[in-house]
Amino acid sequence: MAKVHVCNVVVLDNPSPFSNPFQFEITFECIEDLKEDLEWKIIYVGSAESEDYDQVLDTVYVGPVPEGRHMFVFQADPPDHTKIPVADAVGVTVVLLTCSYRGKEFIRVGYYVNNEYTDPEMRENPPTTPLFDKMQRNILATNPRVTRFKIDWEDNTGDENVPPVQNQITDSNQMTVVIDQNSISEPLKPSICSDISNASMDITA
């Protein structure tokens, strides 16, 4: 059984200028005290053609984490636009929020992101060289794709992440969830995390 349930993720400051930081308000629950930190990452997919253009925008370590429900805001700088292919600067891409324990990823939340010019004329006739200071970023916050992985929480030797089975379920908010058959099947729901623990945690970048 998973020891951490990610209950809800709220996208803050959305839509916003391309140069603004990404901000996610994350609520999660631990069913018991964790001996080690949780590792959270925000990853920007620079191009669908190759992972070489993926950018890890930030990594934070949260812990120690006591049993209970917790909430924090994860903020990361925008991607380095010089590393984004010109052909992929405008249009739809993806941003990923991941969490790992003992170096093993157990959940990945993906959002579609639409980058476009705010000026209608520039949208009709985009410049040859992208002008990122004229762009707006809009995250499709209402329809994240959630993938859960079964991991060994006790770090027994020889066990690896188990790839998720492509079963899909949809909750009342039309949130698509991809799960492995033995993992938690609950979708992200704000209602199950109304009681937030006041226990202290350290967040280390």
Side-chain angles (χ1 to χ4, degrees), residues 120-164:
E121 184 174 342
M122 296 183 75
R123 286 201 295 267
E124 291 293 328
N125 301 288
T128 304
T129 301
L131 301 176
F132 290 90
D133 60 335
K134 305 293 185 183
M135 289 186 196
Q136 176 178 265
R137 177 184 70 228
N138 189 3
I139 300 173
L140 185 57
T142 59
N143 193 24
R145 185 175 180 82
V146 183
T147 306
R148 305 177 194 274
F149 302 90
K150 180 182 178 182
I151 68 169
D152 174 28
W153 292 86
E154 301 302 331
D155 198 28
N156 293 324
T157 57
D159 288 341
E160 301 292 339
N161 288 47
V162 178

Side-chain angles (χ1 to χ4, degrees), residues 39-101:
E39 179 185 12
W40 298 85
K41 291 182 180 181
I42 297 176
I43 302 170
Y44 185 86
V45 178
S47 174
E49 301 300 323
S50 173
E51 293 183 0
D52 293 341
Y53 297 104
D54 289 0
Q55 297 184 44
V56 178
L57 303 184
D58 203 355
T59 302
V60 296
Y61 297 89
V62 178
V65 184
E67 178 183 350
R69 292 173 179 150
H70 312 278
M71 182 177 68
F72 73 102
V73 174
F74 189 2
Q75 178 173 306
D77 289 337
D80 181 349
H81 63 81
T82 64
K83 298 179 180 179
I84 300 174
V86 172
D88 297 300
V90 177
V92 178
T93 185
V94 171
V95 65
L96 302 171
L97 174 67
T98 72
C99 191
S100 303
Y101 184 68

